[in-house]
Short mmCIF file of all heavy atoms in Angstrom, two decimals:
data_model
loop_
_atom_site.label_atom_id
_atom_site.label_comp_id
_atom_site.label_asym_id
_atom_site.label_seq_id
_atom_site.Cartn_x
_atom_site.Cartn_y
_atom_site.Cartn_z
N GLU A 56 4.60 -3.29 8.88
CA GLU A 56 4.05 -4.59 8.49
C GLU A 56 2.79 -4.91 9.31
O GLU A 56 1.78 -5.35 8.76
CB GLU A 56 5.10 -5.68 8.68
CG GLU A 56 4.67 -7.03 8.19
CD GLU A 56 5.78 -8.06 8.36
OE1 GLU A 56 6.97 -7.71 8.30
OE2 GLU A 56 5.43 -9.24 8.54
N ALA A 57 2.84 -4.68 10.60
CA ALA A 57 1.69 -4.94 11.47
C ALA A 57 0.51 -4.05 11.12
O ALA A 57 -0.64 -4.48 11.16
CB ALA A 57 2.09 -4.74 12.94
N LEU A 58 0.79 -2.83 10.74
CA LEU A 58 -0.27 -1.91 10.35
C LEU A 58 -1.02 -2.43 9.12
O LEU A 58 -2.24 -2.38 9.06
CB LEU A 58 0.31 -0.52 10.08
CG LEU A 58 -0.66 0.60 9.75
CD1 LEU A 58 -1.64 0.83 10.90
CD2 LEU A 58 0.10 1.88 9.44
N GLY A 59 -0.28 -2.97 8.17
CA GLY A 59 -0.90 -3.50 6.96
C GLY A 59 -1.58 -4.83 7.14
O GLY A 59 -2.45 -5.21 6.35
N GLN A 60 -1.23 -5.57 8.17
CA GLN A 60 -1.80 -6.91 8.37
C GLN A 60 -3.02 -6.92 9.27
O GLN A 60 -3.82 -7.84 9.21
CB GLN A 60 -0.74 -7.85 8.97
CG GLN A 60 0.35 -8.20 8.02
CD GLN A 60 1.40 -9.06 8.68
OE1 GLN A 60 1.41 -9.22 9.90
NE2 GLN A 60 2.29 -9.61 7.88
N GLY A 61 -3.14 -5.92 10.13
CA GLY A 61 -4.21 -5.93 11.12
C GLY A 61 -5.56 -5.55 10.53
O GLY A 61 -5.66 -4.99 9.45
N ARG A 62 -6.58 -5.89 11.27
CA ARG A 62 -7.94 -5.46 10.94
C ARG A 62 -8.43 -4.71 12.18
O ARG A 62 -9.07 -5.29 13.05
CB ARG A 62 -8.81 -6.66 10.63
CG ARG A 62 -10.15 -6.26 10.10
CD ARG A 62 -10.83 -7.36 9.35
NE ARG A 62 -12.17 -6.92 9.03
CZ ARG A 62 -13.25 -7.50 9.49
NH1 ARG A 62 -13.18 -8.58 10.21
NH2 ARG A 62 -14.43 -7.02 9.18
N TYR A 63 -8.09 -3.44 12.24
CA TYR A 63 -8.29 -2.65 13.44
C TYR A 63 -9.68 -2.03 13.46
O TYR A 63 -9.87 -0.89 13.07
CB TYR A 63 -7.20 -1.59 13.56
CG TYR A 63 -5.83 -2.21 13.59
CD1 TYR A 63 -4.98 -2.16 12.50
CD2 TYR A 63 -5.40 -2.89 14.73
CE1 TYR A 63 -3.73 -2.75 12.54
CE2 TYR A 63 -4.15 -3.49 14.77
CZ TYR A 63 -3.32 -3.41 13.67
OH TYR A 63 -2.09 -4.01 13.71
N ILE A 64 -10.63 -2.80 13.91
CA ILE A 64 -12.01 -2.35 14.03
C ILE A 64 -12.04 -1.21 15.05
O ILE A 64 -11.46 -1.30 16.12
CB ILE A 64 -12.91 -3.51 14.47
CG1 ILE A 64 -12.85 -4.61 13.41
CG2 ILE A 64 -14.34 -3.04 14.72
CD1 ILE A 64 -13.40 -5.93 13.85
N GLY A 65 -12.71 -0.15 14.70
CA GLY A 65 -12.78 1.00 15.60
C GLY A 65 -11.59 1.94 15.48
O GLY A 65 -11.48 2.90 16.24
N GLY A 66 -10.70 1.67 14.53
CA GLY A 66 -9.52 2.50 14.38
C GLY A 66 -9.57 3.46 13.21
O GLY A 66 -8.55 4.03 12.83
N VAL A 67 -10.76 3.68 12.66
CA VAL A 67 -10.88 4.51 11.46
C VAL A 67 -10.37 5.94 11.72
O VAL A 67 -9.64 6.50 10.90
CB VAL A 67 -12.33 4.52 10.93
CG1 VAL A 67 -12.49 5.51 9.79
CG2 VAL A 67 -12.74 3.13 10.50
N SER A 68 -10.73 6.53 12.84
CA SER A 68 -10.30 7.91 13.09
C SER A 68 -8.77 8.00 13.24
O SER A 68 -8.16 8.92 12.70
CB SER A 68 -11.00 8.49 14.31
OG SER A 68 -10.68 7.75 15.47
N LEU A 69 -8.17 7.05 13.93
CA LEU A 69 -6.70 7.06 14.07
C LEU A 69 -6.03 6.87 12.72
O LEU A 69 -5.05 7.55 12.39
CB LEU A 69 -6.25 5.95 15.02
CG LEU A 69 -6.38 6.20 16.50
CD1 LEU A 69 -6.05 4.94 17.29
CD2 LEU A 69 -5.48 7.34 16.93
N LEU A 70 -6.54 5.93 11.93
CA LEU A 70 -5.94 5.66 10.63
C LEU A 70 -6.13 6.84 9.68
O LEU A 70 -5.24 7.16 8.90
CB LEU A 70 -6.54 4.38 10.04
CG LEU A 70 -6.16 3.09 10.77
CD1 LEU A 70 -7.03 1.94 10.31
CD2 LEU A 70 -4.68 2.78 10.59
N SER A 71 -7.27 7.49 9.76
CA SER A 71 -7.52 8.67 8.92
C SER A 71 -6.56 9.79 9.27
O SER A 71 -6.02 10.46 8.39
CB SER A 71 -8.96 9.16 9.09
OG SER A 71 -9.86 8.20 8.66
N ARG A 72 -6.35 9.99 10.56
CA ARG A 72 -5.39 11.02 11.00
C ARG A 72 -3.98 10.69 10.52
O ARG A 72 -3.24 11.57 10.08
CB ARG A 72 -5.41 11.11 12.52
CG ARG A 72 -5.84 12.45 13.00
CD ARG A 72 -5.85 12.65 14.48
NE ARG A 72 -4.86 11.95 15.24
CZ ARG A 72 -5.12 11.26 16.36
NH1 ARG A 72 -6.33 11.18 16.83
NH2 ARG A 72 -4.16 10.66 17.01
N LEU A 73 -3.63 9.42 10.60
CA LEU A 73 -2.31 8.98 10.16
C LEU A 73 -2.15 9.22 8.65
O LEU A 73 -1.10 9.67 8.20
CB LEU A 73 -2.12 7.50 10.48
CG LEU A 73 -0.80 6.87 10.05
CD1 LEU A 73 0.36 7.51 10.80
CD2 LEU A 73 -0.84 5.38 10.31
N LEU A 74 -3.19 8.95 7.89
CA LEU A 74 -3.15 9.17 6.45
C LEU A 74 -3.00 10.66 6.13
O LEU A 74 -2.20 11.04 5.27
CB LEU A 74 -4.43 8.63 5.81
CG LEU A 74 -4.61 8.90 4.33
CD1 LEU A 74 -3.54 8.19 3.53
CD2 LEU A 74 -5.99 8.45 3.89
N GLN A 75 -3.73 11.50 6.83
CA GLN A 75 -3.67 12.94 6.56
C GLN A 75 -2.33 13.54 6.95
O GLN A 75 -1.80 14.37 6.23
CB GLN A 75 -4.81 13.66 7.32
CG GLN A 75 -6.17 13.35 6.80
CD GLN A 75 -6.32 13.64 5.32
OE1 GLN A 75 -5.90 14.69 4.84
NE2 GLN A 75 -6.90 12.71 4.59
#
Side-chain angles (χ1 to χ4, degrees):
E56 185 178 330
L58 184 60
Q60 290 177 348
R62 188 160 173 243
Y63 302 105
I64 299 165
V67 173
S68 62
L69 281 173
L70 292 168
S71 297
R72 242 182 33 227
L73 179 64
L74 174 65
Q75 292 304 315

